[in-house]
Amino acid sequence: MFTRICAVAVVALTSACTSTSPITVPAPATTTTSLSPRSSLEALDERAKAAIPSHMAFETLGAGPVNASGLGPEAPVEGDGIGEVCGALLRVGRGTSVARTRTWSGGVNLFERVHVTSELPAKALVSMVREKAQACAPGAEVAVARPDGVEELFAYCGANDPGAVPWSCKAAFSRGNAFAFVVVNAESAESASLQLSAALPIFAEPLVKV
């Protein structure tokens, strides 16, 4: 009689020793793989794009046809500038961030720049805008309602140089590591302030979801 000798691993002593028994391969250990720098930037950029309202969003304000530009198929905005306050361009300053911009003109005159940062809390950028504006334009702050989901908000208004649209109101707001700097231009301080109050919820809605 032919005798078959079957070598059995210690961890499989309960398995039958037959020629038809399947061999079980242990599952590989789970490992965590970090995103490449390029993948990380692409992910930030997708969030920045999603944080900006659609092309036609502001026609709901009843201001007539609105043309939008920016945020096309081109690459994300270069640089870490977050917005101009009192003639000075403020910058993110540290860490990795991706920015996108869009301009609306026609029935309204609006501009937005969105930054999504990898590490820096976006509320730090709002604080930067607030500190600069309060130092160079004391008394310019305006009270506007904080839209749902927004964690930090600062807004102020001021007259522009001759030859430009007479008045601008600007707002900086954030949630998590998503930051927005918006500018509303109008013919009067009252009009700019009213348009900012009406536009802020529209600006905020996509940002708080990314």
Side-chain angles (χ1 to χ4, degrees):
M1 175 183 296
F2 175 77
T3 301
R4 179 168 13 96
I5 299 175
C6 199
V8 181
V10 174
V11 295
L13 287 176
T14 57
S15 298
C17 182
T18 67
S19 58
T20 59
S21 296
I23 299 175
T24 302
V25 180
T30 302
T31 58
T32 301
T33 303
S34 299
L35 292 175
S36 68
R38 180 178 177 82
S39 297
S40 297
L41 287 174
E42 289 175 346
L44 292 178
D45 185 42
E46 287 302 311
R47 294 183 63 199
K49 288 191 291 186
I52 291 185
S54 70
H55 284 71
M56 310 306 291
F58 295 98
E59 291 199 355
T60 61
L61 297 180
V66 178
N67 300 313
S69 61
L71 202 71
E74 73 279 1
V77 177
E78 295 294 334
D80 62 352
I82 63 173
E84 186 176 297
V85 180
C86 298
L89 179 62
L90 305 184
R91 299 184 179 278
V92 174
R94 63 184 176 89
T96 302
S97 67
V98 173
R100 286 275 177 168
T101 65
R102 180 170 282 167
T103 300
W104 294 261
S105 61
V108 291
N109 189 343
L110 311 172
F111 168 83
E112 180 179 33
R113 184 180 182 102
V114 165
H115 271 277
V116 178
T117 64
S118 60
E119 300 174 3
L120 182 68
K123 65 182 180 181
L125 304 181
V126 178
S127 295
M128 188 188 307
V129 173
R130 178 185 290 111
E131 291 170 7
K132 178 65 175 178
Q134 289 177 340
C136 66
E141 182 176 356
V142 294
V144 292
R146 185 169 65 183
D148 292 342
V150 168
E151 295 173 342
E152 294 288 335
L153 169 67
F154 174 77
Y156 71 103
C157 297
N160 294 321
D161 294 333
V165 178
W167 281 86
S168 292
C169 286
K170 301 180 180 182
F173 58 94
S174 67
R175 178 183 175 88
N177 65 340
F179 166 87
F181 186 81
V182 304
V183 182
V184 177
N185 297 310
E187 295 297 320
S188 68
E190 181 182 13
S191 178
S193 181
L194 288 173
Q195 286 192 31
L196 179 65
S197 294
L200 270 178
I202 301 174
F203 278 124
E205 183 179 1
L207 182 132
V208 300
K209 296 178 181 178
V210 301

